[in-house]
Amino acid sequence: MKKLILTNLLSNYAMKFIGMVVALLMIPFLLSTLGKEAFGIIVLAESLVLFSEILTVSLKLSLTRYATFSLSKGLIDEFSEYLSTGRGVLFILTSVVFAIGCVIAYFFPFMVKTSGEYVGQSRLLFVLITVGFCISIPNIVFWSVLYAKQRYDILNLATSGTLLAKNAAIFLIFIFFPTSRTMVTYGIIYISTTWIQNFIIYLLHKRFMPGIQIRLKNFRVEKVREILSYSVHTSIGRLSTLLYDNAAMLLIGFFWGAAQNAVYSVSLKLASVLKRLFLEASWTLTPTFIDLTAKGDKQRSEHLFLMYTKIMTIINTPLCFILIALAQPIIVLWVGNDFLPAVELLPVH
C-alpha cells in the first residue's frame, strides 16, 4: 500500500505541476493572441461552468466513497449497483446542466460588459464549454471505478496527457492559422479534448475491471438517497470554495467588464496553483482512507493523516511567503506592466 500511496501522490503532484507550468505559459500567450477582453470572457465562462461542478464533484466523491467501501469489502454486486444508480442520476443532472447552460449562454453577453464584436462569440463559447462539461458528467462513474481501485496514477496520466494535448492544439492552431484566433476555436478544442479524455478513461476502466456491469438495469432507488445525502454534505464545502474563488470575478465582470476581470484572474492564478498543487492533491488519499476505514484500520489512518499534514505545512508555508515578498517582479515578468494592479491583490490571495 505504501508504494501505491507514494505513486499516487507523486503522479498527482506531477499532474498539478504540469498544469501550473502550462497555465503560466498559456496565459500570456492567450492574452497576446486573443486580447485582454476575450481572455477575460473565457475565464468568466469557465468560472460560471465550474459552479455546476458543485453537484458533479459532490456526486463523484459520493460514488467514490460508497463504491470504494463496497469494493474493499468484496461486495462486487453492491459496487456495481452504486455505480449504475449513480450513472442514472448523472444522466438526469446532465440534461439539467445543459438546459441551464443554454439559457445562461443567451444572457451571457449581458452579464459581462462585452463589446459588440464579442456578443455572438461569447454566446457560442459558453454553449461549447457547457457541452464539453456535459460530456464528462455521465462518465464520472468510469472515473469512480479507477478511484475505487486507487489508480490515481493512471487517472493523472490521462488528465495530464489531455491537458497537454489541449494546450498544444491551441498553441499550434493559433500560431499557424491566425484567422482561427477566436473564442469559438478555443471552445471547439475544449470539447474535442474533453471527449478524448473521457474515452480514454472509459477504456481504462474496462481494462482494470473488465467484468464490472454498469447498466441502468442495476439501478436501485434505495441507493439514490444514500448517494444524494452524502453529496449534499460535500456540496456545501464545494460551494464555499467556488464562491470564494469565483464570486469576485462574476461581480468584477458585471460592474467593470472582462478586461478588469482578466487582471483579477491573473492576481488569483498563483494562489490557485498552490491550492491545486498542495490542497487538492490530498484528494488522492481519499480512496485510501475509505479503504482503511472499511477494514477498520484506525491506527494507519491517523498515522497517514498526521504525517501528510506535517509534510505539506513544512513545504508550502515558505512558498507563500516568497510569493508575498516577490509579488511585483513575478507579475511584471509573467504578464507585463499592464497588470500591475494584480500585484496588490496577489498577497491577499
Side-chain angles (χ1 to χ4, degrees):
M1 178 174 285
K2 289 181 179 179
K3 182 179 179 181
L4 183 60
I5 291 173
L6 185 61
T7 301
N8 286 339
L9 283 172
L10 291 177
S11 67
N12 210 356
Y13 283 119
M15 181 193 70
K16 300 297 183 184
F17 180 76
I18 290 171
M20 176 183 69
V21 172
V22 169
L24 294 176
L25 293 175
M26 287 302 294
I27 287 176
F29 175 74
L30 290 174
L31 284 169
S32 63
T33 53
L34 293 177
K36 187 185 292 186
E37 185 174 355
F39 175 76
I41 291 171
I42 290 173
V43 170
L44 186 57
E46 292 184 337
S47 298
L48 277 171
V49 172
L50 281 176
F51 277 95
S52 300
E53 280 197 342
I54 295 172
L55 293 175
T56 56
V57 172
S58 298
L59 283 169
K60 182 191 292 185
L61 293 173
S62 183
L63 285 173
T64 300
R65 178 184 186 274
Y66 288 111
T68 303
F69 202 88
S70 299
L71 187 63
S72 296
K73 288 185 171 292
L75 305 174
I76 303 300
D77 289 340
E78 186 177 81
F79 176 73
S80 176
E81 288 173 0
Y82 274 119
L83 294 175
S84 300
T85 303
R87 193 159 207 230
V89 174
L90 289 167
F91 272 123
I92 297 172
L93 180 60
T94 301
S95 61
V96 172
V97 170
F98 180 73
I100 294 174
C102 289
V103 173
I104 294 176
Y106 178 78
F107 291 102
F108 186 70
F110 305 108
M111 298 170 65
V112 187
K113 291 185 176 181
T114 306
S115 301
E117 62 179 308
Y118 291 126
V119 170
Q121 281 194 53
S122 63
R123 283 176 175 156
L124 187 52
L125 170 71
F126 198 86
V127 170
L128 291 170
I129 290 179
T130 300
V131 171
F133 182 65
C134 288
I135 290 173
S136 300
I137 296 176
N139 293 314
I140 283 175
V141 291
F142 304 129
W143 292 73
S144 296
V145 170
L146 296 177
Y147 285 136
K149 295 291 289 184
Q150 300 184 50
R151 294 312 304 262
Y152 264 92
D153 54 336
I154 300 298
L155 288 168
N156 291 329
L157 181 62
T159 302
S160 300
T162 50
L163 175 67
L164 290 172
K166 170 191 168 183
N167 286 280
I170 292 171
F171 180 80
L172 293 174
I173 290 173
F174 282 13
I175 287 292
F176 293 105
F177 302 96
T179 56
S180 67
R181 295 175 183 175
T182 66
M183 292 184 286
V184 175
T185 303
Y186 182 94
I188 293 172
I189 295 172
Y190 181 94
I191 284 183
S192 302
T193 51
T194 300
W195 184 86
I196 292 171
Q197 181 185 51
N198 281 277
F199 183 66
I200 291 172
I201 296 299
Y202 170 78
L203 295 177
L204 289 170
H205 109 276
K206 297 288 286 185
R207 175 185 174 185
F208 285 95
M209 290 201 74
I212 191 65
Q213 300 291 326
I214 303 177
R215 298 176 180 174
L216 292 181
K217 71 175 185 179
N218 294 328
F219 185 95
R220 299 292 181 267
V221 176
E222 64 274 11
K223 297 195 182 302
V224 174
R225 182 177 175 275
E226 295 179 63
I227 294 171
L228 294 182
S229 176
Y230 188 78
S231 296
V232 169
H233 293 286
T234 54
S235 293
I236 294 172
R238 290 289 302 172
L239 178 60
S240 64
T241 301
L242 282 172
L243 285 174
Y244 174 80
D245 287 345
N246 297 293
M249 280 197 282
L250 297 178
L251 293 172
I252 290 169
F254 181 78
F255 287 108
W256 291 287
Q260 295 304 316
N261 193 62
V263 173
Y264 183 82
S265 174
V266 166
S267 74
L268 183 65
K269 185 61 67 176
L270 292 173
S272 299
V273 165
L274 283 182
K275 181 184 290 185
R276 289 195 298 270
L277 191 59
F278 294 108
L279 180 59
E280 294 182 11
S282 63
W283 297 349
T284 304
L285 298 175
T286 301
T288 303
F289 279 114
I290 295 172
D291 180 64
L292 292 172
T293 302
K295 296 174 180 177
D297 198 339
K298 183 179 179 181
Q299 184 177 358
R300 292 177 72 186
S301 292
E302 290 179 347
H303 176 72
L304 178 59
F305 172 78
L306 292 172
M307 180 183 67
Y308 184 79
T309 303
K310 291 175 181 177
I311 292 172
M312 287 302 97
T313 303
I314 292 170
I315 292 174
N316 68 58
T317 301
L319 292 177
C320 291
F321 282 111
I322 290 172
L323 284 179
I324 291 172
L326 302 178
Q328 181 167 338
I330 289 173
I331 292 294
V332 172
L333 180 64
W334 181 27
V335 290
N337 290 317
D338 289 343
F339 288 83
L340 279 176
V343 173
E344 299 177 23
L345 293 170
L346 174 57
V348 178
H349 294 311

